Amino acid sequence: MLTSPEPTALAGWLSPTSGLLTLEQHGELVFLGPDGASWGRVGGAVADHVRACLRGEASPPPRLFAALAKSVPGLAEALAEPGFAITSSRALERGGWGLLFVELTARCNERCLHCYVEAGPERSEALAWETIRAVLHDAADLGFQIVQLTGGEALLSPHLVEAAALARQLGIPATEVYTNGVLLDEARYSRLRAEGVSFAFSLYAADPARHDEITRLRGSHARTLKAIRLALAGGSEVRVGVIAVTPADEAHALAAAALARELGVPVGLDVSRSVGRGEHAGRPVPVEPTLASSEGDAVPRGTGHGGLPHGLPPGDGRRDGKAAVLADGSVAPCIFSRDLTLGHVGPEGGLRAALERPRLRLLRDASALPERLAAGAGTLACLECRLTAALLEPARLPQAKVS
């Protein structure tokens, strides 16, 4: 019987607060920063000390690691806490579950040029109420800190208010509704406000004509601004996600951010990502935004979805695990990592199984990690999401034995 040896899976530790990734490689330890950049390597007795610290078996020897920390940024902070042994599920959860995206529907009243969902009025995929209920129960049991109810257009789901109410009943700390706001009238707003949700609105330009060109819905700019003012007047927490759809739209995005700030709204600013229709938005890949105002003030970047939701503190590495339930019932590591299927949900549940026993395995070839991280720059704004996507690959079915 002839069999070929299976490559050894990537092995190492993740320090969630600092984001340091420590990998085993030929008897040495290789340190990678949160963005995958090399922070150096150690071997011998020093590597043994580091392993013991990451396992929680020892404290860092002061003199040795004081010198090492000078050459390896973040190492001292990383070694102050035990690291998590890397597994496919731990690569997803990191230091704890933070944000769960729930795409209630792929249907939308807009057809935005850059939409990663490729949403529009013709889309029919949507989560049934029984599935939404099972997902939220799993989310509460797993300890997610915030659920974002999104789409498509979340306001087109007949289950939006009921979902927000259940999330509150289950004790999920925060719920956010991400919407274009076009359908948010007094009645809908009052029902959602009663459930204590926060709101995130998409805005693409201060110029109504350009905003409406991007959404491909005439009058959408005026209706979005009306919805923002309605939520502000009602005392709700509000933020605005501004996306520079094409390189030529960066000035429009900056003007939109300025308009939102004039309204007193926090702004998350980013560029379109090469997912869905965003792949054809005319922006080179990979890309990093270079957006700054004419006065030289840097505009805070968001998470690629227009910033961080209320209730999810930025930089909280202990709770930076993310997941997304897509409108077709598939589970992904992020709303932008739509090609990485962890599992599926249905009326009987499935979220816990997808996250704890994902249909993905750890990368088998550690040398491919830098290239995979670089490739993720065009689609994923978050460094943590890029690292997660780079660490995971589809699990191959066992091959038949040859005798």
Side-chain angles (χ1 to χ4, degrees):
M1 182 175 66
L2 300 176
T3 59
S4 55
E6 183 74 10
T8 303
L10 177 149
W13 295 267
L14 173 70
S15 302
T17 300
S18 66
L20 182 74
L21 183 65
T22 306
L23 299 179
E24 294 277 6
Q25 195 171 88
H26 308 301
E28 295 185 320
L29 293 180
V30 177
F31 302 113
L32 299 179
D35 58 353
S38 175
W39 283 3
R41 63 177 63 222
V42 296
V46 175
D48 290 339
H49 279 300
V50 172
R51 290 187 187 97
C53 292
L54 291 170
R55 292 172 183 148
E57 299 170 354
S59 299
R63 292 179 60 187
L64 178 62
F65 286 102
L68 188 57
K70 290 181 180 179
S71 59
V72 184
L75 182 61
E77 292 85 352
L79 295 177
E81 60 169 351
F84 294 111
I86 285 288
T87 63
S88 55
S89 59
R90 179 56 69 181
L92 294 162
E93 184 180 359
R94 298 176 65 85
W97 292 116
L99 173 60
L100 177 65
F101 301 96
V102 180
E103 289 182 359
L104 300 176
T105 177
R107 188 172 166 232
C108 189
N109 47 356
E110 297 180 337
R111 291 188 180 89
C112 293
L113 298 174
H114 63 293
C115 181
Y116 58 89
V117 183
E118 299 184 80
E122 71 285 353
R123 295 290 295 273
S124 59
E125 304 95 312
L127 298 177
W129 168 243
E130 292 77 11
T131 299
I132 296 169
R133 182 173 58 196
V135 165
L136 292 176
H137 275 277
D138 274 354
D141 291 343
L142 289 164
F144 275 94
Q145 296 299 290
I146 182 168
V147 168
Q148 184 188 94
L149 302 174
T150 183
E153 172 48 52
L155 290 171
L156 285 171
S157 170
H159 311 303
L160 173 60
V161 176
E162 200 171 4
L166 179 58
R168 188 178 191 182
Q169 292 166 16
L170 292 173
I172 295 173
T175 302
E176 180 182 75
V177 174
Y178 201 103
T179 174
N180 58 41
V182 169
L183 298 175
L184 190 66
D185 55 19
E186 290 275 3
R188 288 187 177 93
Y189 171 67
S190 295
R191 294 178 66 197
L192 287 167
R193 181 181 61 181
E195 303 305 336
V197 304
S198 62
F199 291 87
F201 296 94
S202 50
L203 186 67
Y204 305 116
D207 175 16
R210 181 52 186 159
H211 177 95
D212 291 358
E213 284 177 355
I214 291 170
T215 65
R216 292 191 277 187
L217 180 64
R218 183 177 298 179
S220 61
H221 184 267
R223 294 168 74 178
T224 294
L225 288 180
K226 182 179 179 180
I228 293 171
R229 293 186 175 103
L230 173 63
L232 287 171
S236 296
E237 289 187 311
V238 176
R239 68 183 179 93
V240 166
V242 177
I243 307 296
V245 175
T246 71
D249 283 309
E250 293 193 356
H252 285 295
L254 288 166
L259 174 59
R261 285 195 295 269
E262 287 175 8
L263 295 173
V265 180
V267 178
L269 181 63
D270 203 61
V271 299
S272 59
R273 298 286 160 178
S274 300
V275 182
R277 287 198 289 265
E279 188 175 356
H280 310 291
R283 184 173 290 281
V285 179
V287 63
E288 290 296 340
T290 56
L291 296 170
S293 71
S294 58
E295 291 79 18
D297 299 325
V299 179
R301 286 180 54 206
T303 62
H305 196 39
L308 290 168
H310 289 288
L312 189 69
D316 183 4
R318 296 177 182 85
R319 288 284 185 179
D320 60 356
K322 293 178 191 160
V325 176
L326 309 186
D328 64 358
S330 58
V331 181
C334 169
I335 50 172
F336 292 103
S337 299
R338 308 178 74 81
D339 57 335
L340 294 177
T341 301
L342 307 174
H344 291 83
V345 296
E348 303 303 317
L351 179 62
R352 177 184 287 276
L355 298 181
E356 294 183 347
R357 299 182 298 280
R359 299 178 186 176
L360 297 173
R361 69 181 184 188
L362 282 178
L363 181 66
R364 292 299 174 105
D365 181 7
S367 66
L369 190 58
E371 182 179 351
R372 290 169 64 89
L373 281 162
T379 57
L380 301 170
C382 303
L383 297 178
E384 296 88 353
C385 291
R386 292 183 198 175
L387 183 57
T388 297
L391 287 171
L392 300 175
E393 63 181 3
R396 296 180 178 86
L397 294 175
Q399 294 183 351
K401 295 180 179 179
V402 179
S403 56

